[in-house]
Amino acid sequence: MTKENKRKASRFPGIMILLLLLIVLMFFITLGTGVITISPSDVIRTILGNGTDRQELVLFDIRLPRIILAFLVGTGLAVSGVILQGITQNDLAEPGILGINTGAGFAVVLFIFFIQDSIGGVFSVFIMPLFALAGALLAAFLIYILAWKNGVNPIRLVLVGIGINAGFSAALAILQLKMNPQDFRQATVWLSGDIWSADWTFVLALLPWILILVPLALQKSNILNVLRLGDDIAAGLGVKVERDRRLLLIIAVSLAGASVAAGGAITFLGLVIPHIARKVIGPLHHYIIPVSALMGGLLLMVSDTIGRNVMTPTEIPVGIVVAILSAPYFVYLLMKEN
Amino acid sequence: MLSLIHRSKTLKLIIVLLAVIALVLSLGFSISFGAADIHLSTVWQAIFNFNEDLSSHQVVQELRLPRAFAAVMAGAFLSVSGAVMQGLTRNPLASPSIMGVTDGAAFALVLVMAFLPGVTNLGMTMASFAGAGIAVVLVFMIGSFSTGGLTPVKLALAGVAIGTLLSSVSSVIALHFQLEKQLGFWLAGGLAGTDWASNQILLISGIIGMFVALTIAKSITVLNLGEDVAAGLGQNNILIKIMGILTVLILTGAAVSVAGAVGFIGLIVPHMTRFIIGTDYRWIIPVSALFGALLLVLSDVVSRFVNAPYETPVGAITSLIGVPFFLYLARGSSGSDKK
């Protein structure tokens, strides 16, 4: 490890504390802002159980689940991006660009269209992630198969991903038109990346996925470190390259699928966050993963707050805010990439 | 067989003739098929022996004909744009939709609708040109400022990024000014509701754009041998490129302002054409126009079929046709690329 990277790694505790502070700060700002403004002191009073009924309703039933959901979705997508970039040795890999999000989206729209009405509302919230997961896995599988030609070339992977993305989008457009107006609205809003409808059931549906898969990824971070050196070196160091890659791929796809089911199709977040994290903390994945997890959550909280407040009463879907914030950074990366 | 076609002028002419016949047939089909099926003989009468009192004649004259012609022109323009872009950049993935040009045009259209609500059809088309221009300039700027030049992959990714960015901003504007429906239409592409006025705009832009495209066709062929070779032969490459980009802006801008962002036609048609007809752009450009027109007319018919009585966005149909082709190209072209 170079001196530079050692210096970066030593910043880890400080950066984690800084990020946590920012998240807490953002948490209170977000709780207080919106159509009904609640002052910080009132926020604290309400959390302690001394607020008015109206304040309690706004905070506990509307804003709090939404903030937590935003954080979890951001975390899931960011960690998924870290893993995908690691295993494909490609800095431009990301669940959105690769078409995994759209695949999940396609499955969710199928679900809204065919199944949702036949099983009850609350139950369907927990089933939806499974469908999203199936769609995400299908997309990942297609990409992997189609990009395979004597091994998987990172560039081919991204190009094939763009194609798969376009294909699923077209299929979605056709499917959506067959829906009744209410389902159509739900699907459209959901597809632009959105957490408006957030309530506690969504939080509960996503939480286990994050709690299981992120630590699992963290535990595999050594393999990610080695894989980034290239397949040959990794194999030489005793990593079973294809097997571990597939396992990590499943973790990444599951994280993306579950996040997309809860938060809609959000592009670029999984690309930009790992880059910033790497820049700040160096190349070791047991640092990158936690830093990315917090950064991703923070970015989505910020984006959601911007989306809710910048053009009131119109709400901008969070996915659009994320795209506007991070597409320029993607372009910058593209220009630097050799 | 193919190499024979590449060499023989007569065979090329036969192919052109076949394409024209196919186009006329599919036009007839497109005009007669719809919510109310109109017999071909009635179509014939409506065109050459118009009777104001018959509703079927009215439908043909006011709805079906303008729509069919718009499909012909939009398909032709997008294909020629794609052919010119692929020729200029020598990049197999270059095309209006991949490079975000269509998103740029839609962006400008939304902008104009939001801030200048009373704008005329001509104004809309002008905005569409400008928007297409913004996207092209952005993508090329990314290319020229990036280390290692504009590889096919980078071009595709830059297009995705610029396209996403522009369509995101469009969505924000559309949400604020309640223009979601119009934006949705442009992003999905569709030919319902085209009238004679939009055909006029298409025709004028088409004449200018096709004229320039055909003028520089020979130079594009030379440019394909390599920039140094072309310069050595005394060709002014910069001038050719500027003229080429102008053509793309005019043709794509006009097509998008009428038909919305119809994806993938500009990508696949030039490839098919090159495969059949060879590498001479004096042939590629007109034949691409024919094939593109044919493809869009047929896709438009399919879009009325799939989910009748509702219309499916024609862009979704062309994407479904185009994606497998794109995947094939992606597997082929990047196989030889180094990592």
Side-chain angles (χ1 to χ4, degrees):
Chain A
M1 196 151 82
T2 63
K3 214 180 213 167
E4 169 73 8
N5 285 336
K6 229 175 217 161
R7 195 178 57 76
K8 278 185 182 168
S10 69
R11 294 197 295 216
F12 180 67
I15 285 172
M16 290 299 278
I17 291 169
L18 179 69
L19 280 172
L20 283 173
L21 283 177
L22 282 174
I23 287 166
V24 171
L25 181 70
M26 202 56 223
F27 180 77
F28 280 104
I29 293 175
T30 314
L31 270 182
T33 50
V35 181
I36 301 164
T37 317
I38 301 172
S39 71
S41 58
D42 278 353
V43 169
I44 293 170
R45 203 173 307 136
T46 314
I47 290 174
L48 293 176
N50 302 322
T52 63
D53 281 354
R54 197 172 119 106
Q55 285 170 341
E56 270 184 19
L57 176 78
V58 170
L59 285 192
F60 289 123
D61 289 345
I62 300 173
R63 294 209 184 136
L64 202 55
R66 182 167 174 163
I67 297 165
I68 294 173
L69 193 67
F71 182 80
L72 291 177
V73 170
T75 300
L77 287 173
V79 174
S80 172
V82 171
I83 300 173
L84 285 174
Q85 290 179 11
I87 55 176
T88 59
Q89 293 144 33
N90 186 333
D91 287 354
L92 299 175
E94 192 254 344
I97 293 175
L98 285 181
I100 293 172
N101 286 353
T102 339
F106 182 67
V108 168
V109 171
L110 277 182
F111 174 79
I112 294 175
F113 190 43
F114 288 112
I115 301 172
Q116 193 180 44
D117 293 337
S118 54
I119 56 176
V122 177
F123 189 53
S124 77
V125 170
F126 289 90
I127 302 289
M128 212 156 89
L130 293 179
F131 262 80
L133 182 63
L137 282 173
L138 174 71
F141 177 74
L142 279 174
I143 297 164
Y144 200 80
I145 293 286
L146 287 167
W148 183 277
K149 192 174 164 189
N150 307 319
V152 174
N153 168 330
I155 290 171
R156 205 158 49 228
L157 198 71
V158 174
L159 281 181
V160 168
I162 293 176
I164 296 284
N165 207 345
F168 274 122
S169 308
L172 269 174
I174 293 175
L175 194 66
Q176 264 185 293
L177 283 177
K178 289 180 178 270
M179 296 179 147
N180 65 44
Q182 195 201 340
D183 282 353
F184 180 87
R185 244 197 92 76
Q186 190 188 354
T188 315
V189 163
W190 183 87
L191 282 171
S192 36
D194 157 72
I195 39 183
W196 295 349
S197 49
D199 58 26
W200 288 109
T201 34
F202 275 93
V203 175
L204 285 177
L206 178 59
L207 194 62
W209 296 84
I210 302 286
L211 285 182
I212 293 169
L213 291 171
V214 172
L216 201 61
L218 200 59
Q219 193 224 332
K220 292 270 170 205
S221 48
N222 249 329
I223 293 170
L224 280 170
N225 290 339
V226 179
L227 274 175
R228 258 193 99 78
L229 300 174
D231 288 3
D232 297 340
I233 298 178
L237 288 171
V239 177
K240 296 186 190 72
V241 179
E242 282 308 321
R243 212 196 66 179
D244 279 324
R245 182 178 284 163
R246 253 173 250 150
L247 180 68
L248 281 160
L249 183 66
I250 290 172
I251 297 177
V253 170
S254 311
L255 273 172
S259 308
V260 167
I266 296 169
T267 313
F268 287 124
L269 186 135
L271 180 119
V272 173
I273 294 295
H275 274 273
I276 302 176
R278 253 199 306 277
K279 202 162 258 177
V280 173
I281 205 79
L284 287 179
H285 281 85
H286 32 269
Y287 299 136
I288 297 178
I289 290 177
V291 170
S292 296
L294 292 188
M295 275 183 176
L298 182 62
L299 177 64
L300 211 57
M301 279 166 78
V302 173
S303 303
D304 186 42
T305 311
I306 294 175
R308 273 193 308 150
N309 293 308
V310 87
M311 269 185 4
T312 39
T314 320
E315 289 204 4
I316 309 171
V318 67
I320 290 176
V321 180
V322 172
I324 293 175
L325 290 180
S326 47
Y329 189 73
F330 175 71
V331 168
Y332 163 76
L333 286 176
L334 202 62
M335 283 162 62
K336 269 189 18 185
E337 174 99 343
N338 257 317
Chain B
M1 178 65 193
L2 282 170
S3 61
L4 220 63
I5 297 175
H6 293 178
R7 264 177 278 139
S8 151
K9 222 175 198 167
T10 340
L11 283 177
K12 282 182 191 167
L13 279 174
I14 290 173
I15 286 178
V16 170
L17 200 67
L18 286 176
V20 171
I21 292 170
L23 184 60
V24 171
L25 285 179
S26 56
L27 267 178
F29 191 53
S30 162
I31 294 170
S32 77
F33 179 82
D37 286 345
I38 298 170
H39 200 265
L40 274 177
S41 59
T42 321
V43 173
W44 183 268
Q45 278 172 9
I47 298 171
F48 295 103
N49 197 1
F50 180 60
N51 181 350
E52 225 174 81
D53 300 332
L54 290 175
S55 68
S56 59
H57 284 203
Q58 292 273 14
V59 168
V60 170
Q61 280 277 356
E62 295 305 318
L63 297 175
R64 302 280 170 84
L65 268 181
R67 179 173 186 161
F69 283 139
V72 168
M73 286 192 271
F77 296 175
L78 289 171
S79 307
V80 171
S81 297
V84 171
M85 283 165 99
Q86 288 170 14
L88 287 180
T89 57
R90 281 183 291 153
N91 185 328
L93 294 178
S95 71
S97 52
I98 304 265
M99 286 183 52
V101 179
T102 39
D103 286 320
F107 166 69
L109 286 169
V110 170
L111 214 58
V112 168
M113 296 235 357
F115 294 106
L116 303 166
V119 77
T120 57
N121 260 352
L122 184 71
M124 298 273 281
T125 315
M126 285 307 179
S128 182
F129 293 154
I134 294 171
V136 169
V137 168
L138 283 174
V139 172
F140 273 105
M141 261 170 48
I142 295 173
S144 50
F145 283 119
S146 62
T147 44
L150 199 59
T151 60
V153 185
K154 251 189 210 174
L155 189 84
L157 286 174
V160 169
I162 296 296
T164 314
L165 186 63
L166 289 175
S167 64
S168 300
V169 178
S170 315
S171 304
V172 174
I173 299 170
L175 275 174
H176 190 66
F177 290 91
Q178 269 121 40
L179 296 167
E180 298 103 319
K181 265 191 96 152
Q182 284 91 330
L183 178 70
F185 161 75
W186 277 312
L187 291 182
L191 289 154
T194 35
D195 51 13
W196 287 113
S198 35
N199 268 288
Q200 242 169 12
I201 291 167
L202 278 175
L203 191 65
I204 297 168
S205 333
I207 292 172
I208 304 170
M210 293 298 279
F211 177 75
V212 182
L214 288 170
T215 323
I216 58 170
K218 196 177 171 192
S219 313
I220 295 179
T221 315
V222 177
L223 195 62
N224 255 294
L225 300 171
E227 297 215 3
D228 299 340
V229 179
L233 289 168
Q235 182 164 305
N236 185 347
N237 286 337
I238 308 257
L239 182 70
I240 299 299
K241 281 190 177 169
I242 290 174
M243 283 171 74
I245 289 171
L246 280 178
T247 319
V248 170
L249 294 188
I250 293 173
L251 292 178
T252 308
V256 174
S257 75
V258 172
V262 183
F264 285 99
I265 284 203
L267 175 79
I268 47 180
V269 170
H271 279 279
M272 287 181 345
T273 313
R274 245 194 315 273
F275 180 69
I276 295 173
I277 214 114
T279 52
D280 186 347
Y281 273 83
R282 281 173 302 178
W283 284 95
I284 291 178
I285 286 174
V287 176
S288 288
L290 272 178
F291 286 173
L294 185 61
L295 185 60
L296 193 55
V297 170
L298 289 178
S299 304
D300 183 41
V301 174
V302 173
S303 81
R304 280 178 266 169
F305 242 127
V306 172
N307 195 17
Y310 304 107
E311 300 214 1
T312 307
V314 72
I317 306 287
T318 55
S319 297
L320 283 186
I321 303 171
V323 163
F325 193 85
F326 178 84
L327 290 174
Y328 167 77
L329 284 180
R331 276 174 67 87
S333 72
S334 55
S336 54
D337 270 8
K338 48 190 189 308
K339 270 187 194 171

